[in-house]
């Protein structure tokens, strides 16, 4: 069997969703799987049709096997999951849970994580044979700041994996994806920034790149007019990056967002993505990951008949043009927008729907 084309390293949690209700008053929950890095390859598999795998760790009990079953339903290869023996009560390792309510109107979305001491947070350098993983011939590797923020050892694992991917000529993407709760007792935003810069320097493509602008994560709220200067600041910090990309969002209410994107590359300069004002939102969680999936797909499948993206630091099939980058932004923006129209972390969009929206499609009934 042919191996995966795209691989992610990250935590897969069970998401407990109270639907239109509140976590604190819920009597029933819908259960999904999700995780910042996993969501990207899940979208690349389910929407865009690329063979995908996830590297993670789960405790081998009924909860872990539920997470595995959900990953399998998403079409993602589970052969790289590291299974950790359970002790019956989660004393030594456990599986992560994430309770998320969607928000409505003036009430924003709320996430309550229950993820300390998870199996994946205990991964260490040497636990995964990365040379074997990348020798199988994947085209792309993705990880991010959520995985890196789980523990001090996961930072080292992420760096080990990214360095191995680069040695094998695999494209590498990184998403800072700052979560304050992961850094609250581990150095705060300053430490998170230090880790992000350390890891992002191994990446060819940085998604959510404007999270690296300003003195620390969350210090700046970058609007569309500020994006070119913010990209210039990040480019100075990451001089070897081939592509910096970001979503841009204004939030008039939980149910209506103004949604767009932008990117910068040394070969193109600043490139603006599509603008979708007044986008009606059912569930915004995971939309940034869906954007990353669409962006990666657009970069991996350029319109040139013999094109391919970048390999070993050089474009294949011609230079990375502004038109190619704009097309990748359009895939990401449309996929992220559609992901916000359905519940759960993961995308339920089809490639046909994404490309119809890119072409100016409407919400008219299709029969």
């Amino acid at each position: 069997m042919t191996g995966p084309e795209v691989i992610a390293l990250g935590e897969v949690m069970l998401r407990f969703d109270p639907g239109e209700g509140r976590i604190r008053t819920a009597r029933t929950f819908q259960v999904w799987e999700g995780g910042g890095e996993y969501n990207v390859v899940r979208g690349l598999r389910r929407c865009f049709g690329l063979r995908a795998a996830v590297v993670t760790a789960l405790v081998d009990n009924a909860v872990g096997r539920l997470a595995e079953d959900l990953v399998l339903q998403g079409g993602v290869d589970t052969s790289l999951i590291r299974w950790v023996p359970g002790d019956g009560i989660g004393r030594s390792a456990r599986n992560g849970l994430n309770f998320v309510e969607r928000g409505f109107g003036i009430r924003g979305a709320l996430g309550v994580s229950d993820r300390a001491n998870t199996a994946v947070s205990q991964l260490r350098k040497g636990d995964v044979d990365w040379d074997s993983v990348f020798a199988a011939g994947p085209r792309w590797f993705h990880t991010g700041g959520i995985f890196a923020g789980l523990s001090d050892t996961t930072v080292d694992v992420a760096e080990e994996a990214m360095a191995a991917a680069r040695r094998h000529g695999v494209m590498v993407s990184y998403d800072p994806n700052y979560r304050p709760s992961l850094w609250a007792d581990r150095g705060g935003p300053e430490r998170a920034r230090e880790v992000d810069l350390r890891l992002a320097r191994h990446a060819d493509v940085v998604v959510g790149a404007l999270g690296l602008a300003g003195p620390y994560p969350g210090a700046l709220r970058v609007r569309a007019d500020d994006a070119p200067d913010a990209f210039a600041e990040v480019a100075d910090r990451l001089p070897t990056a081939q592509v910096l990309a970001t979503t841009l969002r204004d939030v008039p209410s939980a149910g209506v967002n103004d949604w767009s994107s932008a990117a910068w590359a040394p070969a193109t300069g600043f490139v603006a993505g599509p603008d979708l004002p007044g986008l009606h939102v059912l569930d915004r969680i995971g939309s940034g990951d869906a954007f990353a999936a669409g962006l990666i797909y657009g970069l991996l499948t350029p319109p040139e008949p013999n094109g391919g993206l970048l390999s070993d630091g050089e474009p294949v099939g011609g230079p990375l043009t502004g038109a190619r980058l704009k097309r990748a932004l359009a895939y990401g923006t449309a996929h992220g927008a559609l992901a916000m129209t359905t519940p759960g972390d993961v995308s339920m969009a089809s490639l046909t729907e994404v490309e119809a929206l890119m072409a100016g499609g409407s919400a008219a009934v299709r029969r």
Side-chain angles (χ1 to χ4, degrees):
M1 181 178 177
T2 305
E5 298 169 273
V6 292
I7 297 174
L9 168 65
E11 183 168 45
V12 180
M13 296 192 293
L14 295 179
R15 170 177 167 176
F16 286 74
D17 183 348
E20 297 178 353
R22 306 295 306 273
I23 295 168
R24 65 189 187 195
T25 57
R27 298 297 179 268
T28 60
F29 292 91
Q30 178 79 36
V31 180
W32 317 88
E33 90 280 22
E37 296 83 10
Y38 162 79
N39 294 340
V40 176
V41 292
R42 205 273 195 186
L44 282 163
R45 174 66 188 93
R46 214 57 168 156
C47 179
F48 297 105
L50 301 184
R51 297 183 306 277
V54 61
V55 179
T56 192
L58 294 168
V59 173
D60 193 357
N61 59 21
V63 177
R65 293 297 173 177
L66 172 57
E68 178 196 35
D69 190 64
L70 291 166
V71 172
L72 287 167
Q73 290 179 52
V76 176
D77 183 345
T78 61
S79 64
L80 299 177
I81 293 177
R82 181 180 174 86
W83 290 98
V84 176
D87 60 20
I89 60 171
R91 180 184 293 109
S92 58
R94 51 192 294 273
N95 297 304
L97 309 178
N98 192 25
F99 297 81
V100 180
E101 60 187 44
R102 302 174 200 166
F104 184 83
I106 59 171
R107 175 172 57 84
L110 172 67
V112 181
S113 296
D114 182 15
R115 68 195 309 176
N117 303 312
T118 55
V120 71
S121 73
Q122 299 175 40
L123 278 180
R124 295 178 177 273
K125 286 181 66 174
D127 284 346
V128 178
D129 183 353
W130 292 110
D131 286 324
S132 176
V133 168
F134 294 123
R139 303 167 68 193
W140 200 286
F141 174 72
H142 178 76
T143 192
I146 296 178
F147 174 75
L150 295 177
S151 71
D152 291 339
T153 64
T154 55
V155 177
D156 295 333
V157 174
E159 186 168 45
E160 176 189 41
M162 296 169 83
R166 296 295 295 270
R167 286 197 307 272
H168 286 267
V170 177
M171 287 295 297
V172 176
S173 57
Y174 182 81
D175 186 342
N177 232 349
Y178 174 64
R179 296 289 184 271
S181 58
L182 293 178
W183 296 96
D185 60 349
R186 297 178 49 238
E190 292 81 7
R191 173 62 177 155
R193 168 58 53 80
E194 178 185 329
V195 165
D196 280 331
L197 290 175
R198 169 183 162 188
L199 296 178
R201 290 187 179 113
H202 294 279
D204 302 288
V205 177
V206 181
V207 188
L210 297 192
L212 297 175
Y216 57 85
L220 293 181
R221 179 151 182 233
V222 179
R223 297 183 178 276
D225 291 345
D226 306 320
D229 289 340
F231 273 124
E233 178 186 338
V234 176
D236 286 342
R237 295 175 175 177
L238 301 175
T240 62
Q242 295 188 54
V243 176
L244 305 175
T246 192
T247 60
L248 296 166
R249 185 197 307 262
D250 283 323
V251 186
S253 78
V256 179
N257 289 186
D258 297 329
W259 174 251
S260 62
S261 64
W264 178 92
T268 67
F270 178 79
V271 176
D275 189 17
L276 296 176
L279 182 69
H280 287 262
V281 175
L282 176 64
D283 184 348
R284 66 172 277 178
I285 306 300
S287 54
D289 305 324
F291 167 79
L295 178 84
I296 292 168
Y297 176 77
L299 292 173
L300 280 172
T301 55
E304 294 86 353
N306 299 316
L309 183 69
L310 327 144
S311 176
D312 294 328
E314 293 295 332
V316 174
L320 178 65
T321 64
R324 285 176 65 181
L325 188 51
K326 195 172 189 71
R327 177 176 176 271
L329 285 172
Y331 271 108
T333 307
H335 189 224
L338 288 166
M340 287 187 273
T341 68
T342 55
D345 282 32
V346 297
S347 164
M348 300 181 186
S350 70
L351 180 56
T352 299
E353 291 170 334
V354 169
E355 291 183 334
L357 182 57
M358 290 168 61
S362 72
V365 175
R366 291 187 294 276
R367 301 184 190 276

